[in-house]
Amino acid sequence: MSSVTLHKGENCAFLTNTRITEKVPKKGKQTVTFKNPPHIQGRMSVVGAKEGKGPLGKYFHKVLDDDKMGEKTFENAEIKMLTTAIDGAVKDSGLKTKDIDLIISGDLLNQVTTSNYVAREYHVPYLGIYSACSTMTEALNLASTFISAGHFENVLCSTASHFATAERTYRYPLEYGCQRPPYAQWTVTGAGCTVLSASGNGPKITMGTVGRVIDFGTTDLNNMGAAMAPAAMDTMVALFRETGTKPSDFDLIITGDLGKLGSDILRDLMMEQGYNLGQRYIDCGNMIFDVTQKCYQGGSGAACSATVFNSFVLDKILDGTYGTVAYFATGALMNTQSCYQGETIPCISHAVVIER
């Protein structure tokens, strides 16, 4: 993992004079250019104490000093985190809860219980989705489609994860104290929320690419970066080929939570496809923790890219550092028992393009 050292310069060329969507097809097999692109009108990121001590700590909107948030269980704390992110994003958008037409949310727990329990408090139409750590970009794709087609005015997209709840769900009880292998990642404790609107003056989501399920045969539940990198490659190649773009057409290309190992694998896979990602590419999992925090390959979890996107990335779009960003969240679609039964790990990546 490396510290964040991004800056303006030859590797951050502006593309604001000609929007990418002005020179690409309106529809591909996996990629859609939105006729009426929605605006990002509100956002909020909430993270735990460990995440707040990392390189991006100053960008997050709320850093917790207690990962239980005063609750009796970590599951209740995750519910409270997601509620805090949603309330903050709605407030940031200048809207009221009654103005929200639809909530699209998901998380990592069984039957997306965190999102379900949060949604019951808002009395707003709700779609609970599951795409593991790619939930945020799946939600943004769905919301953009609904808004572009004129079906909804304001749609809220959110997701959350918690180290304590995810680890005991997918791997071992925390009390077991299992030694983590060097290729493991650390599930991010946090929640992210984005409010999209049909009108406004925020950055626009202009394109979305729906990923395919890709399985390269990985069976190790700890090696998420290696499992998900091929899915990120597949969706990235689809976006480039269907839109006639290349990495240099974007100011920034981000993946969700491949970590150091997974992002290195992705670079190699993309080179084999003829694309050099260069210095325009970064991974949220590789950014969120510092090497001194002993998180091995970096961050993971549904909140990893959701919190980084709704803080650091959008900050840099709004201050003019980046004009066009391609955001690829990645997810591993196994359940808690599939790998123990000898199954491999199917993965997916969904993408959206954001333009200032």
Side-chain angles (χ1 to χ4, degrees):
M1 293 174 290
S2 59
S3 300
V4 181
T5 56
L6 304 173
H7 54 81
K8 292 184 181 180
E10 62 180 2
N11 294 314
C12 303
F14 288 99
L15 300 175
T16 52
N17 291 332
T18 302
R19 289 176 51 201
I20 279 184
T21 47
E22 293 176 354
K23 61 177 183 177
V24 303
K26 296 301 179 185
K27 183 178 180 182
K29 188 174 182 180
Q30 294 175 245
T31 305
V32 175
T33 300
F34 299 116
K35 295 181 180 179
N36 303 296
H39 298 257
I40 297 174
Q41 287 301 102
R43 67 215 171 88
M44 177 71 169
S45 60
V46 180
V47 297
K50 188 180 186 73
E51 291 72 17
K53 294 176 182 177
L56 301 181
K58 66 180 181 180
Y59 293 98
F60 299 123
H61 300 108
K62 184 176 180 63
V63 177
L64 307 176
D65 54 12
D66 171 20
D67 284 358
K68 271 194 173 180
M69 297 187 74
E71 300 293 326
K72 292 183 178 180
T73 68
F74 291 113
E75 285 76 12
N76 283 341
E78 188 171 324
I79 291 170
K80 195 169 183 178
M81 273 198 313
L82 185 55
T83 302
T84 301
I86 289 174
D87 289 343
V90 172
K91 181 178 180 180
D92 184 55
S93 70
L95 302 170
K96 304 293 184 182
T97 303
K98 63 181 177 63
D99 300 318
I100 302 298
D101 302 309
L102 177 67
I103 293 174
I104 304 177
S105 186
D107 53 85
L108 300 181
L109 301 192
N110 295 340
Q111 291 79 49
V112 293
T113 48
T114 299
S115 296
N116 295 342
Y117 289 173
V118 169
R120 70 183 175 182
E121 302 300 323
Y122 288 96
H123 307 289
V124 171
Y126 162 69
L127 286 176
I129 62 173
Y130 183 80
S131 194
C133 302
S134 62
T135 294
M136 194 67 202
T137 46
E138 179 172 320
L140 293 171
N141 262 296
L142 289 169
S144 298
T145 301
F146 282 132
I147 293 173
S148 180
H151 299 304
F152 296 105
E153 184 76 17
N154 303 304
V155 180
L156 184 152
C157 305
S158 64
T159 189
S161 60
H162 196 298
F163 173 80
T165 64
E167 288 300 308
R168 67 184 180 192
T169 296
Y170 285 95
R171 295 180 182 89
Y172 301 103
L174 299 180
E175 298 84 356
Y176 182 65
C178 178
Q179 177 67 39
R180 301 167 66 83
Y183 49 80
Q185 294 169 246
W186 189 278
T187 303
V188 167
T189 295
C193 182
T194 309
V195 176
L196 300 185
S197 298
S199 58
N201 56 7
K204 294 180 180 181
I205 295 182
T206 56
M207 290 187 285
T209 301
V210 178
R212 304 186 298 178
V213 176
I214 305 296
D215 188 340
F216 268 34
T218 303
T219 58
D220 191 337
L221 284 170
N222 288 292
N223 203 354
M224 291 291 96
M228 295 186 294
M233 177 270 292
D234 189 78
T235 303
M236 201 172 284
V237 169
L239 174 63
F240 292 157
R241 289 180 178 173
E242 292 180 3
T243 61
T245 58
K246 54 189 181 298
S248 60
D249 289 323
F250 298 89
D251 300 324
L252 180 69
I253 300 168
I254 57 169
T255 49
D257 52 351
L258 298 180
K260 178 64 170 66
L261 175 62
S263 56
D264 286 346
I265 293 172
L266 175 61
R267 287 182 180 276
D268 291 341
L269 291 173
M270 291 301 291
M271 284 294 288
E272 291 176 1
Q273 298 295 321
Y275 297 98
N276 183 358
L277 297 181
Q279 295 186 34
R280 298 171 186 270
Y281 167 62
I282 55 176
D283 179 75
C284 297
N286 197 27
M287 298 169 64
I288 198 166
F289 295 121
D290 187 83
V291 66
T292 62
Q293 294 178 282
K294 299 180 180 179
C295 296
Y296 300 110
Q297 298 302 318
S300 65
C304 181
S305 72
T307 55
V308 174
F309 172 71
N310 281 293
S311 56
F312 172 80
V313 175
L314 284 176
D315 279 1
K316 295 300 181 182
I317 291 175
L318 291 169
D319 73 11
T321 302
Y322 303 125
T324 306
V325 173
Y327 168 27
F328 300 80
T330 52
L333 303 180
M334 78 290 184
N335 66 19
T336 57
Q337 296 300 317
S338 55
C339 290
Y340 299 128
Q341 295 172 355
E343 266 287 2
T344 53
I345 302 175
C347 298
I348 198 164
S349 175
H350 304 295
V352 290
V353 173
I354 305 96
E355 297 190 46
R356 183 164 59 86

